Amino acid sequence: MTHRGIGQTLDRMIRGLHRRANGVTPGPVRFLARVLDFPIRAVWHVWRNRRYLTVRKLVNMGLVSLENALRRQRPRGLPYIYKIEPTNICNGTCRLCPTGLGLTGRAKGRMSFDNFRRVIDAIRDVAYVADLSNWGDPLIVPEIYDMIRYAHDRRIWTYISSNLHAFRIDAGDAEKMVRSGLDCLNCSLHAATQGAYEAYQPGKQLAPTLEKIRAIIEPRRRLKSLTPTIQLFFVVTKYNEQEIDAFRILAKDMGCESVLTPASLNLRLAPTEQRPGLKAEWLPTNAAWVAPWYGAGTVPGSSGRTGCKPYPCDWPWWGTVINWDGSVSVCCGDFDPKWEMGNILSQPLRTIWNSKAYLAVRGSFKGAGGLGGEPCRSCCGVLV
């Protein structure tokens, strides 16, 4: 069996197990599926990413996992998950995104290809995943496919999230994307009909976006490539919750994966007086799709909620964000430049990773810290 055939077989197995583990199949079948689900997923993960794994990366990942479990304030391991922001400029109008709403954050700009190479060269020995998207749309950057290829050739798994508004079929972007080596493309749709699509992205059209997705699938099929896998992303809100089933059918018919998630309202960035209105307008009526931290009394106000974390956050140990200008942030929820940890274009990664600012961030998980007000101290552990 070819590598492609093995990959497809494992993919079918894992999807079947997921359906049985989480479905309404008889008890013994569901139990067995749940037992087998994790090892099968582990085998698939290793197989899928075999070209990206090295002994050094595996050792570092193991060390990071141990230090994360121990909550070490000064870890020896280095992050292996990176969000690298090609730009924080976006041509979308998403109503729950601070960029789409035009809120003030960092100065707008784009990372040059030369600086991108410097970043990749600084992290290549430990980087396992590079998510080339953050507060902007990466396809706005003309060199994005060269950036993906550069990271791919240095054995880093790549991912981007895009609204596809800047994607150009007539410029050959579809084949460029497939040939770049991109591993996963996340398409922000949040709708199965034009009405719901425009409610979230005013002034934008769904049909051209779907046509662009089909355009990417064609060269992937023609070139017999397994990548990029294409995910259609759906943030469940009051405007689109009635389209969940239709969205899943749409994704299946297009040969894509559907990814549904509760909405993040980014309330920490909104004026206090606007927060109740945002919840009332956007939270779905189906409680199953309302994130638990939006229940009564669980959303942090402007005063912060020290130690209030509904689930453990691992970002300060295994991941970091590199913004378009080289500045480093603790996580993807940091929209404001106030709490930058350093700059990878002028400082070694390890120096930043164990800087006074990062030590304070990790210390805040144990009630310590030292700087006062650092981003993790008042964060509930979610992008609210």
Side-chain angles (χ1 to χ4, degrees), residues 78-229:
L78 291 170
Y80 58 88
I81 306 292
Y82 293 83
K83 283 185 75 71
I84 304 173
E85 181 181 74
T87 183
N88 61 351
I89 300 169
C90 188
N91 51 12
T93 55
C94 296
R95 296 296 83 192
L96 295 180
C97 174
T99 305
L101 292 171
L103 299 183
T104 301
R106 291 177 177 82
K108 301 298 183 183
R110 301 175 183 176
M111 182 178 288
S112 68
F113 183 63
D114 182 61
N115 281 345
F116 181 82
R117 286 188 299 184
R118 292 173 60 192
V119 169
I120 293 298
D121 290 346
I123 66 174
R124 59 183 294 180
D125 290 336
V126 293
Y128 179 40
V129 172
D131 174 359
L132 307 185
S133 43
N134 193 27
W135 290 116
D137 192 289
L139 298 188
I140 289 177
V141 178
E143 302 89 355
I144 186 60
Y145 301 116
D146 294 330
M147 291 176 170
I148 295 168
R149 169 52 65 179
Y150 192 82
H152 176 83
D153 288 346
R154 277 135 195 90
R155 303 180 70 170
I156 302 174
W157 190 90
T158 53
Y159 164 97
I160 63 171
S161 181
S162 173
N163 54 38
L164 295 182
H165 298 324
F167 182 91
R168 298 180 301 163
I169 296 177
D170 58 354
D173 283 358
E175 186 156 333
K176 291 177 186 176
M177 179 178 289
V178 175
R179 291 188 180 277
S180 72
L182 178 68
D183 289 285
C184 183
L185 168 66
N186 184 80
C187 304
S188 298
L189 292 185
H190 317 301
T193 66
Q194 175 59 30
Y197 187 77
E198 194 168 10
Y200 192 73
Q201 295 194 67
K204 303 299 182 180
Q205 299 295 313
L206 175 62
T209 304
L210 297 179
E211 186 61 29
K212 292 174 181 180
I213 295 170
R214 294 186 183 98
I216 298 168
I217 294 172
E218 191 282 323
R220 188 184 65 179
R221 176 198 57 76
R222 174 167 46 83
L223 297 171
K224 298 181 179 180
S225 174
L226 289 175
T227 58
T229 58

Side-chain angles (χ1 to χ4, degrees), residues 43-62:
V43 170
W44 167 234
H45 187 77
V46 171
W47 174 264
R48 184 194 71 175
N49 298 332
R50 63 194 182 280
R51 76 173 306 277
Y52 303 118
L53 296 171
T54 65
V55 172
R56 180 170 179 178
K57 289 182 183 181
L58 288 170
V59 170
N60 180 68
M61 290 164 66

